[in-house]
Amino acid sequence: MSEQIIQPNKKKVLSCIQPSGMLTLGNYLGALKNWVAMQDEFDCTFAVADLHAITVRQEPAALRQQIYSTYALLLALGIDPEKNTVFIQSHVPFHTQLSWLLSCNTQFGEMARMTQFKDKSQKHPENVNVGLFSYPVLMAADILLYKPDFVPVGADQKQHLEIARDIATRFNNIYGDVFTIPEPYIPKTGARVMSLQDPAKKMSKSDENANAWVAILDSKDDIIRKFKRAVTDSEAAVRFREEQPGISNLITIYSAVTGKTTEEIEKEFEGKGYGDFKLAVGETVADTLAPIKQRYDEIIKDKKALEQLYTEGAMKAEYVAKKTYFKAMKKVGFVL
Ligand code: TRP
């Protein structure tokens, strides 16, 4: 077993991402780029939330491929599996086990009001399964096992983090101190990337229009083509305005990728048209993602090395998770 790295001075961070072979530029600029940035300052635990993925029906071979792919992508982005704990959720059985203890301390009504449950059950009326309903309890277990100080989450997961805090507080009040109450982490930078075809919607890989989103692993040509086709507005000037959501979204993306401010960008493209700007954004995004894709292609080829890394990651995670789990079990009154 690899040695446990103890970093007593660092605050702890935990986050998870659902496996998808098609993580988008939105996932990158909104979340993953921050994960990479956080690894120096914090003691980080990152997981591929594969158990959460089956709340929606998955084709087994595709799911397996997506889990590998997502793990490999985390490494390709520059997340260091030595410095951090990087693992696959289902490899640590304490997530599902703690989830049961927490379920018995969570009210039906609390879950029923979760907006994501309401949305997803409307989208998949043929499969409103109990797992979809109790999804936030499993997510609470993911978090609470590792006692993180902070959990970086996007707007769509804030309600789930809130409920994890409620469950933890209640559990601590009933049984005594077991869990740390985590705070949401709002990154200093972090872009909300909208669809390239309809800037009123968030960029999403489930969009039927393939031109609406850019995958982290898209080819350079595809990326440039998608940016060339991005919808812009009527003003024909590169200026950030709320009433001009198309161009503003492109400015947000360009700013997140280059680190330039809106003002600098507006200046840089003063007197230039949308065409020039779209090409610049496309090329810059493609150049940023190219080395990630290159590293990914290398990493995914070597299944043995990958296996070794996720196995070590799971061992490191389990070491921490086990302690919390058994402490909770003992407090509830189980015979250990
Ligand atoms: N539900 C999250 C999402 O879909 C993924 C997730 C699972 C997660 N467990 C978590 C995020 C724990 C933060 C912490 O985005």
Side-chain angles (χ1 to χ4, degrees):
M1 191 180 140
S2 71
E3 231 172 276
Q4 192 61 25
I5 303 165
I6 299 163
Q7 296 170 311
N9 301 322
K10 288 187 173 176
K11 294 260 187 201
K12 293 207 265 178
V13 160
L14 173 132
S15 202
C16 307
I17 189 155
Q18 289 203 40
S20 155
M22 287 294 174
L23 289 170
T24 69
L25 180 66
N27 297 121
Y28 177 59
L29 297 177
L32 295 169
K33 198 171 175 227
N34 285 308
W35 289 19
V36 180
M38 279 184 293
Q39 47 180 348
D40 293 324
E41 193 179 342
F42 299 103
D43 176 2
C44 299
T45 301
F46 296 127
V48 177
D50 56 346
L51 294 169
H52 279 99
I54 63 161
T55 52
V56 177
R57 189 100 68 230
Q58 303 284 344
E59 207 275 295
L63 176 63
R64 190 168 299 118
Q65 189 47 46
Q66 282 170 19
I67 296 168
Y68 277 125
S69 165
T70 304
Y71 191 91
L73 187 61
L74 295 182
L75 305 182
L77 290 168
I79 292 171
D80 182 345
E82 298 282 325
K83 235 173 18 182
N84 309 285
T85 301
V86 190
F87 71 106
I88 297 170
Q89 180 193 30
S90 67
H91 290 179
V92 179
F94 302 113
H95 292 241
T96 43
Q97 288 177 260
L98 181 64
S99 179
W100 176 250
L101 290 198
L102 301 181
S103 288
C104 296
N105 288 281
T106 304
Q107 296 304 303
F108 186 89
E110 288 178 297
M111 293 295 99
R113 12 170 244 278
M114 293 289 108
T115 51
Q116 195 177 70
F117 171 69
K118 290 193 257 181
D119 291 350
K120 285 199 179 170
S121 43
Q122 262 174 14
K123 263 199 211 151
H124 300 278
E126 74 298 341
N127 186 19
V128 184
N129 61 77
V130 177
L132 187 67
F133 184 72
S134 61
Y135 173 118
V137 181
L138 179 59
M139 178 161 160
D142 296 340
I143 297 168
L144 300 177
L145 281 171
Y146 300 93
K147 302 187 175 175
D149 299 288
F150 299 111
V151 179
V153 285
D156 60 329
Q157 296 297 320
K158 253 188 129 173
Q159 198 183 29
H160 292 161
L161 180 58
E162 223 23 79
I163 206 81
R165 287 165 50 91
D166 291 348
I167 296 170
T169 306
R170 184 178 313 143
F171 190 102
N172 285 351
N173 286 338
I174 298 172
Y175 300 107
D177 232 16
V178 176
F179 301 121
T180 302
I181 313 301
E183 298 292 329
Y185 180 82
I186 314 293
K188 285 169 215 127
T189 57
R192 190 169 153 76
V193 177
M194 310 308 281
S195 155
L196 298 183
Q197 293 297 315
D198 175 4
K201 289 196 300 196
K202 209 175 128 179
M203 181 180 280
S204 163
K205 63 169 193 308
S206 41
D207 207 307
E208 318 80 74
N209 186 342
N211 288 321
W213 54 280
V214 169
I216 298 176
L217 299 174
D218 268 348
S219 71
K220 181 165 187 169
D221 289 350
D222 281 343
I223 296 172
I224 292 177
R225 181 175 45 80
K226 288 178 189 181
F227 276 102
K228 276 189 183 161
R229 291 192 188 166
V231 300
T232 33
D233 308 283
S234 53
E235 208 186 306
V238 180
R239 259 193 302 234
F240 193 99
R241 297 270 171 83
E242 232 168 85
E243 325 77 76
Q244 309 269 308
I247 189 70
S248 299
N249 184 37
L250 296 183
I251 293 175
T252 301
I253 293 170
Y254 192 65
S255 164
V257 170
T258 58
K260 293 177 187 168
T261 64
T262 304
E263 295 71 47
E264 286 167 344
I265 296 166
E266 287 176 348
K267 230 175 158 173
E268 182 180 344
F269 289 91
E270 210 175 327
K272 296 206 175 124
Y274 284 156
D276 291 333
F277 184 58
K278 287 197 225 180
L279 187 63
V281 181
E283 280 182 341
T284 311
V285 169
D287 290 344
T288 304
L289 297 181
I292 297 171
K293 182 171 161 50
Q294 204 179 349
R295 277 198 297 274
Y296 171 85
D297 290 340
E298 286 298 312
I299 293 167
I300 200 74
K301 271 199 297 219
D302 193 347
K303 283 268 161 68
K304 267 262 160 300
L306 203 57
E307 185 184 335
Q308 190 174 347
L309 291 173
Y310 64 64
T311 305
E312 277 172 16
M315 286 200 291
K316 280 202 264 179
E318 184 165 322
Y319 178 89
V320 178
K322 190 175 182 175
K323 283 195 200 170
T324 313
Y325 173 70
F326 281 111
K327 186 166 181 194
M329 286 289 279
K330 189 171 176 189
K331 294 273 191 192
V332 174
F334 287 98
V335 176
L336 301 184

